[in-house]
Amino acid sequence: MTDLPDPNLLREIIEDQKFDELEGKLRGIDGVVKMFQSRSREQLLEQYGNNRLPDPPRKTFFQLILEALNDLTMIILSISAVVSLILAFVPIGGEDHSDEPNTEWIEGAAILAAIVIVVLVTAVNDYSKEKKFRELEKAKDDQDVNVFRDGSERTLNINDLTVGDIVIIGTGDKIPADGLFLEGTNIKCDESAATGETDLLPKDRSKPFMRSGCVVNDGNGKMICIAVGPHSTWGKTVLDLQVEPEDTPLQVKLDDIAKLIGYIGIVFAAITFIALLLKWFVRTEWHPSGSDYVEIVQFFILAVTIIVVAVPEGLPLAVTISLAYSVKKMMHDKNLVRTLAACETMGGATSICTDKTGTLTENRMTVCEVVYGSSHFTENIPDSESSEVNASVIDHMIASASVNSTAFIEIGEDGSQKACGNRTEGAILQMIGQKFKADYAKVRAAGKVVGLETFSSERKRMSTIVDLSESTFVEAMSSATQQVTSQGVNARLYTKGASEVIYALCTHFLEVDGTIKPIDDTHRDMIKRSIHSMATNSLRTLCLAYKDLATPVSPSEQSEWDEVVSGLVCIGIVGIKDPVRQQVPHAVKQCQDAGITVRMVTGDNKTTATAIAKDCNIWRQGGIVLEGPEWRAMSDEQVDAVLDDIVVIARSSPQDKLRLVKRLRYHGEVVAASGDGSNDAPILKQSDVGFAMNIAGTDVAKQAADIILMDDNFNSMVRAVVWGRTVYDNIRKFIQFQLSVNVVALVVAFVGACITGESSLTAIQLLWLNLIMDTFAALALATEAPKDEVLKRKPYGRYTSLISPLMWRNVLGQSVLQIITIFILQFSSKVADYCDNKADLVKYPIGEGEMTCYHRALIFNTFVFFQLFNEFNARLVNKGEHNIFRDIQHCPMFLIILAASIVIQIILIEFTGLVFSVEPLQFVDWAICLGLALISLPLGVILRFIPMPDRIACIEEKKKLAEQKEKDASAEEGEEGLLDEEMKEVRKPVPEQ
């Protein structure tokens, strides 16, 4: 293997563009091809590996434990517990109570044990979360490329590329590995990702270096891979820049809420500590003995524990769990989430701007109708054995479809055919293969292409110039070429595109008998009727044409192409059917019921677009269908006047869709948009949520998108809405539950300390409550599965408050019930006497005036079951919801955690004794605890019948919307730049929901 060049040398040749070393050490491009193709795949893999990047360093479980411990409150609590243990075992002030059982160590040890449990649970959650993120990152980079390997054309996963593979590249593709240009036409690359320079760089044999991670902005061709994976320039950059995923906007927002609640907790904790300290001084008559100082440490531990309980670590944890769970499950719904913020933002979407082909339709293109000359064939399209159409017409169709195309047909092991690349082109290739038994690959290989005008949405055409002097092409296309070579024609232009556009450039047409006739009004009317007929039947029409040239030309400027592409001869018009996906009409109806307006933006003509919009339920009575030129001629004021009624923009360009997205956002809409082309990248960036097509999408579009639709299906976008709303609801459920527990815990601890000098809930009990309401509740409430009923209500507004009036009603109602109940249990003399009579004072001794362990057990048990039953109430956060048990059987995580919490609570009460400062309760007292806690369920029903608005907008909503409009207006001019400039912009932040 020593005679193979070092992989780092190959990368340096590409990175530093060392042409001299390429020619000298590697004997040029041909030498590289010969060297690598003479080696076996195993040898190349052994020396260079594949194109898969190594996994980034992953934090060990021990590192995650250290991170969980690296929390100020946890550190303070740990130190306090250790001090408590030391004071429990070291006599202070010379006092010796060795004849008395020492129980003062129990609380300190129990707190340390609780800290260990909390840290371990946090570390396990973080470990699981990180694992899920790694899996998602791998799925995100899972793409296919077209290559020549072992003498045939095939599709490979990008990770399976090896040195020596010949990759087919085209407009919009991201270069998958470092390589050298082999052949191609008009290839220009945007290498700004590697160099920062925005100029498009042409590639040919004199400038062959192609960097991985860069984008092909124009042209088509082939390159040979010479550096892959970590040895490529892109791989090296990625490995150097690996970072942890950023928090989503909702996580940031909830972090702020958590900090605010935490500050309130600190204030309560400080007041509680001061109150307990003053009570302690009064009780000890300002002359405490040595052992009394242990209580000060216990007061401090209680105060810190109140802070731990108050700080709702579960808020960001709930978001993380919900997002990680949802993103993983969304993969099953064919949604690959690249930006976590998109998941939650999609829940508030009010408008969807969607493409047609492949998204609303099956992207299973089939040629159903053909116009040759003056004949329109709607059934039984003529084949090579038919006498209805002259052979020269067929040959022109074969030549145009083969040469003027980048698609190819992949043959499966079972003999099945799959069109790869542009599906419209693939449909025509399949037609010439099935009808004319023609080998497009042979014809394409025989044609010497001297000029190529790639397709663009502005021109709506693609053109290719072929040198006819090559004998191989003459042999492959005998009928069509021999007819003109004798007349001194040495080149031919083939073009195809939108039927109205290309036919308008034609001056003649091929009649079915092979003769060339001038276009007159009769033929023009016939073509117009045929196009309208096909469009009415939802067929997409393409016109194929050609032009004979005296000499081969290779236009370099667009003006030169416009001059050449004129005076064409119409070969024929094909009508291509792409059936509407079966699920789409219902999915669109679901969106409309959910308050989401669906608009279709397509390149089809107005008639075809309207027909498809009706098939998809997008068109509605009073809806407006515009064409691109009409849309572009309208002022912003005119657009705004009809914006709500626009349902379809036909004959559109990406700039038309970009303008639509901007106007919708300008008026406060939360916009989702789909796209598949390189020119769609600014649209995907500008929208609140950008969806790129996985099958038909270019790499540029995928890089700009937030979510990739793995099946290119509109129904998958609707599933993203369902998941987005579910995430939002699940977070609100947890907030509602969290606030109830926080309010009650803080008030009970504070008031109890101020009135009696001790809290009815000990530090270890509060830590257990913290575990229930943070980690366990986050898992239970943040992982509920989505329900289609979320689509039956209107979306949340962009500035809708996270905590609704309905939620505040439920929080305050449940909190008041719990506080009153706990205070009755704590301060009622009858309850105290009842507990005193049942307390085992020998087994669990207490100080004078202190609450008995039986009394504490009764309060603690009731409080815990209040929270467990309140988890059912927390499942309802929206107006019109009443059944807390609905679909509970489909929430296994909720039921498992509830059951586990109950079992653990029974164990704590019955078997932990002084560790939790409790006494085993008798059966009747268990019934009392459960009966009191169960009151929260009927109270929840009563509360839900109290009329309240289901949402409230922020006070400054109008101000924020006005500010956004002003920013959008000021940025309007700058955002109209070229695509390469658009791609350099920082993505506009998604406004908070």
Side-chain angles (χ1 to χ4, degrees):
M1 215 59 66
T2 56
D3 56 337
L4 282 173
D6 182 77
N8 292 321
L9 170 65
L10 296 174
R11 187 192 75 241
E12 289 172 4
I13 288 176
I14 295 290
E15 193 171 1
D16 300 331
Q17 303 201 12
K18 298 179 178 179
F19 194 82
D20 292 339
E21 290 197 22
L22 172 64
E23 292 291 324
K25 294 184 178 180
L26 303 180
R27 299 180 181 178
I29 297 174
D30 294 331
V32 170
V33 174
K34 183 177 179 181
M35 174 178 59
F36 288 142
Q37 293 196 343
S38 65
R39 300 307 180 97
S40 67
R41 188 74 49 200
E42 290 75 18
Q43 289 176 311
L44 294 173
L45 277 172
E46 182 180 349
Q47 176 74 357
Y48 302 109
N50 59 22
N51 202 35
R52 190 181 302 276
L53 293 176
D55 291 334
R58 183 174 177 176
K59 292 180 182 177
T60 64
F61 188 68
F62 181 71
Q63 288 175 313
L64 293 174
I65 289 177
L66 293 179
E67 282 191 2
L69 275 172
N70 189 25
D71 178 83
L72 182 60
T73 53
M74 283 294 179
I75 293 172
I76 294 175
L77 201 57
S78 300
I79 294 173
S80 303
V82 171
V83 171
S84 177
L85 281 174
I86 293 173
L87 294 177
F89 288 105
V90 178
I92 299 177
E95 297 183 12
D96 185 7
H97 300 283
S98 55
D99 55 332
E100 299 176 4
N102 185 358
T103 60
E104 294 176 350
W105 63 272
I106 294 177
E107 184 172 34
I111 290 173
L112 286 177
I115 291 172
V116 170
I117 293 173
V118 171
V119 167
L120 286 175
V121 170
T122 302
V124 168
N125 284 337
D126 289 343
Y127 188 82
S128 175
K129 178 186 71 175
E130 188 170 316
K131 181 180 179 182
K132 290 177 180 178
F133 278 129
R134 299 302 181 199
E135 292 173 355
L136 292 173
E137 285 297 313
K138 287 183 180 179
K140 183 181 73 174
D141 296 329
D142 191 19
Q143 301 175 24
D144 291 333
V145 292
N146 299 323
V147 303
F148 275 106
R149 176 184 281 186
D150 300 330
S152 63
E153 191 172 348
R154 63 180 67 182
T155 301
L156 289 182
N157 187 281
I158 192 173
N159 295 316
D160 295 330
L161 279 179
T162 61
V163 168
D165 279 330
I166 296 176
V167 181
I168 302 169
I169 52 176
T171 303
D173 290 342
K174 186 174 77 172
I175 300 173
D178 288 350
L180 297 172
F181 173 92
L182 288 182
E183 60 182 65
T185 305
N186 198 34
I187 290 184
K188 295 180 181 178
C189 293
D190 175 6
E191 297 191 351
S192 57
T195 66
E197 298 294 332
T198 59
D199 293 337
L200 299 182
L201 303 178
K203 297 296 177 180
D204 51 34
R205 284 268 176 161
S206 64
K207 299 174 182 177
F209 305 106
M210 310 195 77
R211 304 171 191 255
S212 54
C214 299
V215 176
V216 180
N217 268 53
D218 199 5
N220 300 280
K222 300 173 185 175
M223 58 163 268
I224 182 169
C225 296
I226 69 168
V228 295
H231 303 300
S232 67
T233 53
W234 179 254
K236 185 175 182 298
T237 302
V238 170
L239 292 179
D240 290 342
L241 297 178
Q242 284 174 341
V243 294
E244 290 297 311
E246 297 180 354
D247 287 344
T248 71
L250 186 55
Q251 284 174 311
V252 173
K253 193 172 184 179
L254 289 178
D255 279 338
D256 293 338
I257 294 177
K259 288 177 183 177
L260 177 61
I261 297 175
Y263 293 148
I264 296 173
I266 291 173
V267 173
F268 271 83
I271 297 175
T272 301
F273 177 74
I274 294 171
L276 289 173
L277 196 60
L278 291 175
K279 288 281 186 179
W280 176 79
F281 273 114
V282 171
R283 192 177 70 250
T284 58
E285 298 179 351
W286 301 91
H287 295 290
S289 60
S291 60
D292 290 333
Y293 289 104
V294 176
E295 293 185 52
I296 297 180
V297 178
Q298 294 172 341
F299 297 159
F300 186 72
I301 289 175
L302 178 62
V304 174
T305 305
I306 289 175
I307 296 175
V308 172
V309 173
V311 174
E313 305 98 331
L315 286 179
L317 176 63
V319 179
T320 300
I321 291 173
S322 185
L323 286 176
Y325 170 80
S326 301
V327 168
K328 185 71 175 177
K329 292 292 185 182
M330 285 174 74
M331 283 291 292
H332 298 296
D333 287 337
K334 307 302 181 183
N335 280 267
L336 171 59
V337 180
R338 299 184 70 252
T339 307
L340 282 180
C343 183
E344 61 198 44
T345 306
M346 197 61 195
T350 59
S351 184
I352 295 178
C353 301
T354 178
D355 287 337
K356 183 210 75 174
T357 304
T359 308
L360 299 174
T361 59
E362 295 180 2
N363 205 9
R364 183 171 51 83
M365 302 287 196
T366 304
V367 177
C368 300
E369 301 182 25
V370 177
V371 176
Y372 289 125
S374 302
S375 303
H376 185 171
F377 300 93
T378 57
E379 295 180 0
N380 301 321
I381 297 174
D383 55 26
S384 56
E385 299 179 358
S386 173
S387 60
E388 296 178 89
V389 180
N390 185 272
S392 64
V393 179
I394 292 176
D395 276 353
H396 275 299
M397 178 65 75
I398 294 171
S400 179
S402 301
V403 178
N404 199 29
S405 166
T406 58
F408 65 93
I409 306 299
E410 189 176 74
I411 308 299
E413 295 180 358
D414 58 352
S416 60
Q417 294 187 356
K418 175 186 176 184
C420 300
N422 185 286
R423 299 307 175 96
T424 305
E425 295 177 353
I428 303 175
L429 291 182
Q430 287 180 316
M431 182 196 75
I432 67 171
Q434 295 167 0
K435 293 290 183 181
F436 310 141
K437 312 302 180 186
D439 186 350
Y440 78 91
K442 179 180 177 181
V443 176
R444 185 180 293 175
K448 181 181 179 181
V449 176
V450 295
L452 176 65
E453 180 191 38
T454 55
F455 179 84
S456 78
S457 55
E458 291 80 15
R459 298 185 299 271
K460 298 191 181 302
R461 70 178 188 236
M462 176 183 181
S463 305
T464 305
I465 298 175
V466 181
D467 187 346
L468 295 183
S469 62
E470 294 288 335
S471 60
T472 53
F473 191 70
V474 173
E475 293 169 1
M477 303 307 307
S478 56
S479 299
T481 54
Q482 289 177 0
Q483 179 182 357
V484 294
T485 50
S486 61
Q487 302 171 9
V489 177
N490 295 306
R492 178 169 290 145
L493 164 75
Y494 289 106
T495 188
K496 75 171 189 310
S499 53
E500 300 95 331
V501 174
I502 301 301
Y503 187 76
L505 298 173
C506 295
T507 56
H508 294 74
F509 69 96
L510 268 178
E511 189 53 275
V512 290
D513 60 2
T515 59
I516 300 176
K517 296 182 178 181
I519 294 176
D520 55 17
D521 291 341
T522 302
H523 189 266
R524 190 173 287 108
D525 290 342
M526 175 263 175
I527 292 295
K528 184 177 180 180
R529 289 194 302 272
S530 296
I531 292 174
H532 180 77
S533 172
M534 288 188 277
T536 304
N537 292 324
S538 304
L539 271 68
R540 182 178 186 179
T541 59
L542 286 181
C543 180
L544 291 84
Y546 77 95
K547 178 182 179 180
D548 290 331
L549 304 173
T551 58
V553 293
S554 181
S556 57
E557 300 296 332
Q558 189 56 51
S559 59
E560 296 175 359
W561 274 110
D562 292 338
E563 184 178 346
V564 174
V565 185
S566 61
L568 306 176
V569 179
C570 178
I571 301 171
I573 294 176
V574 295
I576 303 173
K577 180 75 172 180
D578 188 8
V580 171
R581 291 182 183 270
Q582 184 177 0
Q583 317 99 311
V584 165
H586 176 65
V588 172
K589 183 64 167 59
Q590 283 183 307
C591 286
Q592 292 165 346
D593 291 341
I596 302 172
T597 302
V598 181
R599 296 174 174 88
M600 183 177 75
V601 186
T602 177
D604 289 330
N605 62 46
K606 192 172 184 178
T607 305
T608 304
T610 303
I612 294 173
K614 289 180 178 179
D615 292 343
C616 296
N617 282 336
I618 292 176
W619 189 87
R620 64 177 186 270
Q621 193 68 35
I624 297 175
V625 179
L626 298 174
E627 286 195 322
E630 183 182 2
W631 166 260
R632 290 188 286 273
M634 298 171 68
S635 66
D636 286 345
E637 291 73 17
Q638 291 173 320
V639 167
D640 294 344
V642 297
L643 190 60
D644 291 340
D645 296 324
I646 294 175
V647 292
V648 175
I649 299 180
R651 282 290 178 233
S652 69
S653 67
Q655 286 70 30
D656 295 332
K657 193 195 297 185
L658 180 60
R659 186 188 186 195
L660 176 62
V661 169
K662 285 181 177 180
R663 296 315 300 171
L664 290 170
R665 290 199 68 187
Y666 181 82
H667 289 283
E669 299 266 1
V670 179
V671 184
S674 67
D676 54 15
S678 302
N679 288 340
D680 286 324
I683 300 157
L684 300 177
K685 290 172 58 184
Q686 187 66 233
S687 60
D688 292 283
V689 182
F691 286 85
M693 305 299 110
N694 178 58
I695 300 171
T698 63
D699 286 331
V700 175
K702 293 176 185 178
Q703 290 296 319
D706 302 297
I707 298 177
I708 296 175
L709 294 179
M710 304 304 290
D711 58 354
D712 292 14
N713 193 341
F714 178 82
N715 189 59
S716 299
M717 293 180 69
V718 179
R719 294 302 301 167
V721 174
V722 173
W723 276 108
R725 293 190 176 189
T726 299
V727 167
Y728 200 75
D729 281 353
N730 286 348
I731 301 306
R732 297 181 103 195
K733 292 173 187 177
F734 179 75
I735 291 174
Q736 180 172 277
F737 174 77
Q738 177 91 59
L739 288 176
S740 300
V741 183
N742 274 7
V743 169
V744 179
L746 289 178
V747 171
V748 168
F750 171 72
V751 174
C754 292
I755 295 179
T756 66
E758 61 176 336
S759 171
S760 59
L761 300 173
T762 66
I764 187 65
Q765 291 173 356
L766 287 173
L767 282 174
W768 165 237
L769 285 169
N770 186 64
L771 196 63
I772 289 178
M773 68 185 188
D774 275 355
T775 303
F776 288 178
L779 285 169
L781 295 172
T783 57
E784 289 206 20
K787 305 176 184 65
D788 286 341
E789 66 185 37
V790 300
L791 294 175
K792 295 180 181 178
R793 63 172 187 266
K794 302 303 177 184
Y796 299 110
R798 186 183 291 278
Y799 302 111
T800 300
S801 175
L802 190 61
I803 305 175
S804 69
L806 291 174
M807 295 168 63
W808 278 122
R809 177 198 64 192
N810 298 336
V811 168
L812 295 177
Q814 294 293 339
S815 297
V816 169
L817 169 66
Q818 293 182 29
I819 290 170
I820 291 175
T821 304
I822 297 301
F823 281 170
I824 289 174
L825 292 177
Q826 181 174 358
F827 299 117
S828 171
S829 57
K830 292 184 178 180
V831 174
D833 293 340
Y834 174 80
C835 293
D836 287 343
N837 295 331
K838 294 194 174 184
D840 186 348
L841 299 182
V842 176
K843 186 174 182 180
Y844 301 117
I846 58 172
E848 183 180 353
E850 293 182 0
M851 294 175 62
T852 64
C853 291
Y854 202 94
H855 196 176
R856 288 187 185 278
L858 194 66
I859 295 173
F860 174 52
N861 204 38
T862 303
F863 189 37
V864 168
F865 276 99
F866 261 130
Q867 313 319 317
L868 297 181
F869 288 133
N870 198 33
E871 284 191 49
F872 287 96
N873 289 317
R875 297 183 70 227
L876 307 183
V877 292
N878 294 299
K879 194 172 185 178
E881 297 177 337
H882 299 289
N883 185 2
I884 60 175
F885 302 109
R886 182 173 182 179
D887 294 325
I888 194 69
Q889 71 276 13
H890 299 308
C891 303
M893 185 64 72
F894 183 94
L895 295 175
I896 290 171
I897 288 177
L898 183 68
S901 300
I902 292 174
V903 170
I904 295 174
Q905 180 65 17
I906 292 172
I907 293 173
L908 295 182
I909 294 295
E910 295 297 318
F911 302 106
T912 60
L914 282 181
V915 175
F916 271 78
S917 301
V918 294
E919 187 101 24
L921 296 177
Q922 295 182 1
F923 179 81
V924 64
D925 296 317
W926 275 99
I928 291 173
C929 293
L930 292 174
L932 292 173
L934 275 171
I935 298 175
S936 63
L937 298 184
L939 175 64
V941 175
I942 295 172
L943 290 173
R944 284 189 286 276
F945 280 99
I946 298 177
M948 295 284 286
D950 60 339
R951 64 186 67 186
I952 182 170
C954 295
I955 297 176
E956 298 186 352
E957 176 176 352
K958 293 183 179 179
K959 179 181 177 182
K960 287 184 178 181
L961 186 55
E963 289 175 354
Q964 179 186 324
K965 288 183 177 181
E966 185 177 346
K967 290 179 181 178
D968 288 350
S970 63
E972 189 76 24
E973 182 177 351
E975 289 173 347
E976 293 295 338
L978 297 174
L979 173 61
D980 56 348
E981 291 300 323
E982 289 278 6
M983 295 302 293
K984 309 304 176 293
E985 292 180 5
V986 178
R987 179 176 181 83
K988 174 179 278 189
V990 177
E992 289 184 349
Q993 298 183 34

